[in-house]
Amino acid sequence: MAAAPPRHRRRSRALLFTMLVAALVTGLLLQPQAHRAEAAPTTFAHPGVTVSRAQLDFARSKIDAGAQPWKGAFDQMMASKYADLNRTPKPRATVECGSYSNPNYGCTDEREDAIAAYTDALAWYITRDDRYAKKSIQLMDAWSAVIKEHTNSNAPLQTGWAGSSWPKAAEIVKYTYTGSWANSGRFATMLRDVYLPKVIGGSNSNGNWELSMMEAAVGISVFLEDRTSYDKAMAKFRTRTAAYVYLASDGDLPKTVPSQNLDTRDKIVNYWQGQSTFVTGLTQETCRDLTHTGYGISAISHVAETSRIQGQDLYGTDVGERLRQALGFQSKYQLGTAVPGWLCGGSLTLGLGPVTEVGYNALHNRLGIAMTNTQALTEQNRPAGSNNLFVAWETLTHGDNPS
């Protein structure tokens, strides 16, 4: 058979090209917006876990000028046990943590050494005293040389808590310290092999577990520049955030995480600590206590902040709205508003913790949203210190920080 004339071949190729472009464009248009908002960046920003270089520069300039509340926050941090240059790291190969850290074999040591590494990294950046960078490195190196696993019932949460602080320290040191960090590769291997596998799969326990685990997974993914793990963690984070904070727009019942099989009203009410009246801003753990609720809210704000630094702003999505409403609802009662009878049987266990600065700064200062109760609580609690688990020094890093 004779070959087709050249012009027909060109026409066929042109038609095929047009069809392929149309298919590609259609696929992009049909791609869910939420998925695009979850996507890892093409190029990761560093330092980029919860706090950016611009935010660090802003805080440093304010501290150098003796301005408040930053100078007071800095003095608080430097006076803490975490900034002690004589601190001796206490690594162990197996960290064993039972329920409520009982038994506690290395649990407190690990969390606090990780917070200390982050504290020293902040101290280095603000003072440019390289003793603090070297101390942060010493702490990170001590653990990366030894730790192999986390065990017992609280292992996933413990890994999430410590795994949230380590990458914050490592990002600042790796990308701002002008000296050497010979074992940074070993530290990355520790995060990849010991921490990430334990948190990336999530948890069907109370929601603060999975939120903290996803905070660790997202932060570790940034440090490792692991786009696949970043996307997986962010997708799980979006699902859990929607299931942790109720909005009236969700319908009669809160959203759920499919793997938990909360497929009846009774199951959902039981999971929400027996609370059967759902109002905007209520969280899955409000009726447990505000302390654990604060863990969940804090993790939501940290992931949203990391995502913003990496170029995908979740504050303009339902994540931001849920964070705003959760902060306002919890802050109101933490400030002393009487608890109505329909809420948690008329009694709340308070203790929200130093967890409002990041979300308040993003939503009120950057986006201009009125947050009366959250503002009052944030300003009352300044300078916000550490909860000794995974939150530290957020008045210093995020207080009224426009960057």
Side-chain angles (χ1 to χ4, degrees), residues 353-366:
V355 302
T356 63
E357 287 279 16
V358 176
Y360 170 71
N361 185 58
L363 296 163
H364 176 73
N365 294 329
R366 289 201 205 105

Side-chain angles (χ1 to χ4, degrees), residues 3 54 65 101 117 161 170 200 236 286 313 336 353 356 360 363 374 380 392 400:
S101 293
W161 282 340
I200 193 69
K236 196 172 288 291
T286 299
D313 197 337
T356 63
Y360 170 71
L363 296 163
T374 306
Q380 175 181 298
D400 299 337

Side-chain angles (χ1 to χ4, degrees), residues 77-156:
M77 180 183 81
M78 297 304 288
S80 75
K81 62 183 179 181
Y82 297 114
D84 183 0
L85 287 171
N86 293 314
R87 183 181 189 87
T88 301
K90 298 178 180 178
R92 54 172 73 212
T94 299
V95 174
E96 182 180 354
C97 308
S99 181
Y100 291 91
S101 293
N102 182 24
N104 180 343
Y105 298 131
C107 315
T108 301
D109 292 337
E110 179 189 30
R111 293 193 307 265
E112 295 193 351
D113 277 351
I115 292 173
Y118 175 52
T119 301
D120 289 325
L122 289 173
W124 142 253
Y125 196 90
I126 291 162
T127 67
R128 293 300 197 268
D129 182 339
D130 69 357
R131 292 179 302 165
Y132 289 101
K134 290 175 179 176
K135 191 66 184 182
S136 183
I137 289 169
Q138 181 198 11
L139 292 161
M140 291 188 283
D141 283 354
W143 280 89
S144 70
V146 172
I147 189 168
K148 299 298 181 186
E149 62 177 347
H150 298 85
T151 63
N152 215 319
S153 58
N154 259 35

Side-chain angles (χ1 to χ4, degrees), residues 49 213-223 230 233-234 237 303 306:
V49 177
M213 291 163 70
M214 290 311 105
E215 178 187 344
V218 167
I220 289 168
S221 296
V222 170
F223 185 73
Y230 185 98
M234 196 63 75
F237 166 78
V303 175
T306 296

Side-chain angles (χ1 to χ4, degrees), residues 310-326:
Q310 298 305 328
Q312 300 285 354
D313 197 337
L314 295 180
Y315 291 115
T317 71
D318 79 296
V319 171
E321 180 63 8
R322 292 178 196 279
L323 177 59
R324 177 175 81 90
Q325 297 291 353

